[in-house]
Amino acid sequence: GQQVMQIPQYQHVQEGEDFTTYCNSSTTLSNIQWYKQRPGGHPVFLIQLVKSGEVKKQKRLTFQFGEAKKNSSLHITATQTTDVGTYFCAGGSGGGADGLTFGKGTHLIIQP
Amino acid sequence: GAGVSQSPRYKVAKRGQDVALRCDPISGHVSLFWYQQALGQGPEFLTYFQNEAQLDKSGLPSDRFFAERPEGSVSTLKIQRTQQEDSAVYLCASSLNYRAYEQYFGPGTRLTVT
């Protein structure tokens, strides 16, 4: 079955440093989504990428979808304490109707 | 507006007991998903409904797990004869329709089997 690998598992950064998490799928994806989960909370949708090579930005967050639609990345510029949480990528295999395959997430820890 | 709600938020069950977890999706959302999230892991897909039809139940770990959505709105995930390995957070998510990709998650039900 489809597998989604995400690295690193944990990332410690100083406040103000940049952060990147990487996601790789064993199969070609129809779309990839990114979610953020705060400690004790539930996943909250951040963005969806559909097109090969797509790049989207949300303020300090930049999302990329690889040309082969098998990998993706999330980059945060100048991290803030509010960025703390776990970032998950989730791959969809088609149609938008299926359940997502989530990576194990990257836990972002920020030291002030 | 109201988001996805789940009840109970916490459930402690003795091994062998049956449990029922409820999900109220966002009004008008056609698609409903159940996920299981173990501590420190990502959510794992269990099952998917489009209206009242269960279109995919490939993620249900055993025949002890059963889900229904009889009127295409509220959904119930039932676990029979609970085992310790069933301990996890059970997340429900809904999506506007089959063409919409964004999933809105509820707060989850934390199930602890003792």
Side-chain angles (χ1 to χ4, degrees), chain A residues 33 37 48 95-97 100 104, chain B residues 35 37 41-42 48 98 101 106:
Chain A
Q33 301 181 30
Q37 187 171 22
Q48 174 194 262
L100 298 168
K104 292 188 183 296
Chain B
Y35 294 87
Q37 186 173 27
Q41 302 295 312
Y48 157 67
Y98 77 101
Y101 296 96

Side-chain angles (χ1 to χ4, degrees), chain A residues 63-78:
Chain A
F63 304 83
Q64 292 187 315
F65 200 10
E67 293 290 339
K69 300 182 75 172
K70 295 181 72 173
N71 58 70
S72 182
S73 66
L74 158 59
H75 180 81
I76 302 178
T77 303

Side-chain angles (χ1 to χ4, degrees), chain A residues 6 8-21 36-39 60-61 74-88 105-111:
Chain A
Q6 200 172 345
Q9 186 176 359
Y10 293 92
Q11 184 73 58
H12 292 77
V13 301
Q14 295 282 339
E15 187 176 8
E17 291 182 339
D18 292 356
F19 159 77
T20 304
T21 172
K36 177 182 179 181
Q37 187 171 22
R38 293 181 184 274
R60 295 179 295 105
L61 278 61
L74 158 59
H75 180 81
I76 302 178
T77 303
T79 54
Q80 301 174 358
T81 55
T82 53
D83 296 327
V84 164
T86 302
Y87 292 84
F88 293 99
T106 295
H107 304 263
L108 174 61
I109 298 116
I110 297 176
Q111 296 155 342

Side-chain angles (χ1 to χ4, degrees), chain A residues 87-101:
Chain A
Y87 292 84
F88 293 99
C89 63
S93 58
D98 56 343
L100 298 168
T101 301

Side-chain angles (χ1 to χ4, degrees), chain B residues 1 9 13 20 22 27 33 40 43 48 61 66 71 86 93-94 100 102 106 112-113:
Chain B
R9 291 294 311 278
R22 176 187 170 106
S27 178
F33 305 82
Y48 157 67
F66 172 77
E71 297 180 358
D86 300 335
S94 70
E102 179 178 349
T112 303
V113 182

Side-chain angles (χ1 to χ4, degrees), chain B residues 30-97:
Chain B
V30 169
S31 299
L32 185 146
F33 305 82
W34 283 98
Y35 294 87
Q36 180 190 61
Q37 186 173 27
L39 189 63
Q41 302 295 312
E44 290 197 7
F45 170 76
L46 294 177
T47 187
Y48 157 67
F49 290 86
Q50 187 172 318
N51 294 309
E52 69 278 3
Q54 189 174 20
L55 299 186
D56 187 348
K57 54 182 181 180
S58 62
L60 296 176
S62 77
D63 58 8
R64 296 186 296 105
F65 287 70
F66 172 77
E68 60 183 4
R69 194 186 185 197
E71 297 180 358
S73 177
V74 171
S75 178
T76 304
L77 176 66
K78 298 179 179 178
I79 309 173
Q80 297 177 324
R81 304 181 303 282
T82 53
Q83 304 293 317
Q84 284 193 320
E85 61 263 29
D86 300 335
S87 296
V89 175
Y90 290 85
L91 294 164
C92 174
S94 70
S95 183
L96 183 58
N97 59 46

